[in-house]
Amino acid sequence: MSDSSNLQLTEHGELRHFLTPEGLDRLMLERILDTADSFVVVGNQEIKKVPLLRGRTVVNLFFENSTRTRSTFELAAKRLSADVLTLDIKTSATSKGESLLDTLQNLRAMHSDMFVVRHSDSGAAHFIAEQVTPNVAIINAGDGRHAHPTQAMLDMLTIRRHKGRFEPLSVAIVGDISHSRVARDQIHALKTLGCKDIRLVGPNTLMPQGIENMGVTTHSNMDSGISGADVIIMLRLQTERMASAFLPSAGEYFRLYGLTTARLSQAKPDAIVMHPGPINRGIEIESAVADGPQSMILNQVGYGIALRMAVMSMAMSGQMQQRQTQASQSSSLIGEKKI
Ligand code: NCD
């Protein structure tokens, strides 16, 4: 699972799967952001469609519930003019006893070009990219507590559009770091894009041991953790991934780590507040902040469509390039045999 960089790139260094920002270089991450910027413009037009994925089939495979991610992936594929199939896995053949592998082989036989995969097991998208589907582009839409690359990159797009360069920024990521697949990818992306001050803020029970090795600082005190920050990213308590109780109570959590208007005044006056959603008002964030002028939470959703259009179109063109390379390699092999 660690060496995903080669798996994600074609022989010519183009994106062909998008599984995690880990291992991708700055140039690639910036290309993704630049491409997404151009799709933000498309999203503001009267006619929001471009023909980049015309004739291509995209299958959304959501093995785990999702509203925002699933609908923005679907909209992104439609705006790229793809044929889109969204599979409700609970009513699909998998629940009738067909294995995941069989389901995937059937979808391949239907000549699908891209799978967008969300799964509660860490590594599911990597497994599919590695073992199951040569010639099908795989986009990871969140796997277990491991990675959520399109969320992390839409967050980078939000930061870049509102704050510019990453180098001088102080970014605080607050909450349940341990169970968050978003935080890990945010850290990888922020570091690669040049951010020097990344602070993780939360109770010790929700802070992974040794996380400082990723080049971040950890803070169990919220006020000092967000002091002078340019960007505050709030995370949800991922109770569905907690095996036991990590916190005394939701009320106590809000008292210590909830982002209130008073707390927000510790950050820079023009700090932006982000959250991947779904938000829990009164647990990690006060309504006045979530709905306030510094909140980017709804902007993030819109940027999510543009960012997903960017990675889908880039991976599809990388995958096409890879198919052509393989086809020309095999035809030259046939040619050699004839001689
Ligand atoms: C995140 C997820 O599903 O990991 N949300 C999302 O994709 N919009 C974070 C979360 O569920 O809290």
Side-chain angles (χ1 to χ4, degrees):
M1 216 155 69
S2 57
D3 187 20
S4 38
S5 56
N6 292 343
L7 184 63
Q8 297 192 88
L9 300 176
T10 67
E11 289 167 25
H12 304 285
E14 299 295 324
L15 199 69
R16 65 184 288 222
H17 300 298
F18 192 43
L19 307 173
T20 165
E22 184 181 1
L24 297 179
D25 64 14
R26 182 169 185 164
L27 207 65
M28 177 57 79
L29 297 193
E30 284 177 345
R31 270 181 59 200
I32 292 173
L33 296 180
D34 293 345
T35 311
D37 267 331
S38 70
F39 288 126
V40 172
V41 178
V42 171
N44 293 335
Q45 291 167 2
E46 188 107 345
I47 307 288
K48 297 178 174 55
K49 262 190 194 262
V50 289
L52 289 168
L53 260 64
R54 192 160 57 200
R56 306 282 176 210
T57 305
V58 174
V59 183
N60 282 330
L61 288 165
F62 277 68
F63 296 89
E64 186 192 89
N65 286 342
S66 158
T67 314
R68 232 171 318 269
T69 306
R70 178 172 156 157
S71 47
T72 50
F73 261 115
E74 194 168 325
L75 260 184
K78 286 180 172 162
R79 287 190 185 172
L80 290 166
S81 311
D83 295 321
V84 190
L85 179 67
T86 297
L87 280 194
D88 181 357
I89 304 297
K90 284 178 208 72
T91 59
S92 80
T94 320
S95 59
K96 295 181 196 149
E98 190 176 81
S99 76
L100 170 64
L101 278 171
D102 285 332
T103 304
L104 293 166
Q105 301 296 9
N106 276 280
L107 291 167
R108 260 183 76 195
M110 295 174 205
H111 298 288
S112 306
D113 297 289
M114 177 177 286
F115 293 160
V116 176
V117 183
R118 171 171 283 212
H119 203 289
S120 54
D121 290 347
S122 298
H126 284 72
F127 170 77
I128 295 170
E130 215 160 27
Q131 308 285 334
V132 190
T133 55
N135 297 332
V136 178
I138 308 297
I139 310 291
N140 186 2
D143 61 324
R145 57 163 92 173
H146 172 240
H148 194 354
T150 58
Q151 179 67 48
M153 288 304 291
L154 80 85
D155 296 335
M156 298 308 113
L157 184 65
T158 309
I159 296 174
R160 197 175 78 163
R161 288 181 68 90
H162 292 272
K163 290 282 160 201
R165 293 171 57 244
F166 288 88
E167 274 84 355
L169 298 180
S170 295
V171 179
I173 305 174
V174 183
D176 181 2
I177 312 288
S178 271
H179 300 94
S180 174
R181 52 191 170 207
V182 180
R184 282 176 49 89
D185 276 356
Q186 284 169 338
I187 297 168
H188 286 304
L190 282 166
K191 284 195 70 68
T192 305
L193 289 165
C195 182
K196 306 236 169 359
D197 183 13
I198 306 169
R199 311 166 188 181
L200 305 184
V201 185
N204 291 331
T205 47
L206 296 176
M207 195 65 73
Q209 270 192 359
I211 190 93
E212 293 87 354
N213 295 338
M214 288 183 84
V216 296
T217 55
T218 57
H219 306 258
S220 56
N221 182 286
M222 172 83 163
D223 293 292
S224 60
I226 64 168
S227 165
D230 300 278
V231 178
I232 303 175
I233 304 177
M234 300 302 295
L235 298 174
R236 185 176 64 88
L237 289 176
Q238 317 262 316
T239 42
E240 73 279 18
R241 288 183 214 133
M242 292 184 194
S244 54
F246 284 81
L247 298 161
S249 71
E252 180 71 353
Y253 183 79
F254 183 68
R255 195 177 65 76
L256 292 171
Y257 296 102
L259 188 60
T260 59
T261 313
R263 277 231 166 89
L264 182 54
S265 65
Q266 310 275 335
K268 293 238 176 82
D270 62 349
I272 57 170
V273 175
M274 295 163 52
H275 193 308
I279 63 170
N280 291 305
R281 293 168 187 266
I283 297 182
E284 72 262 359
I285 193 163
E286 189 183 63
S287 278
V289 176
D291 305 328
Q294 287 165 270
S295 171
M296 292 289 134
I297 298 173
L298 293 180
N299 305 50
Q300 285 172 266
V301 180
Y303 295 148
I305 302 172
L307 190 282
R308 286 170 177 133
M309 288 172 79
V311 293
M312 287 171 125
S313 57
M314 288 171 71
M316 188 65 83
S317 91
Q319 201 61 244
M320 292 302 115
Q321 190 191 67
Q322 188 77 5
R323 283 186 207 176
Q324 278 160 8
T325 311
Q326 279 161 1
S328 68
Q329 278 167 355
S330 62
S331 67
S332 69
L333 272 179
I334 293 167
E336 276 170 26
K337 274 186 191 158
K338 276 183 189 154
I339 296 163

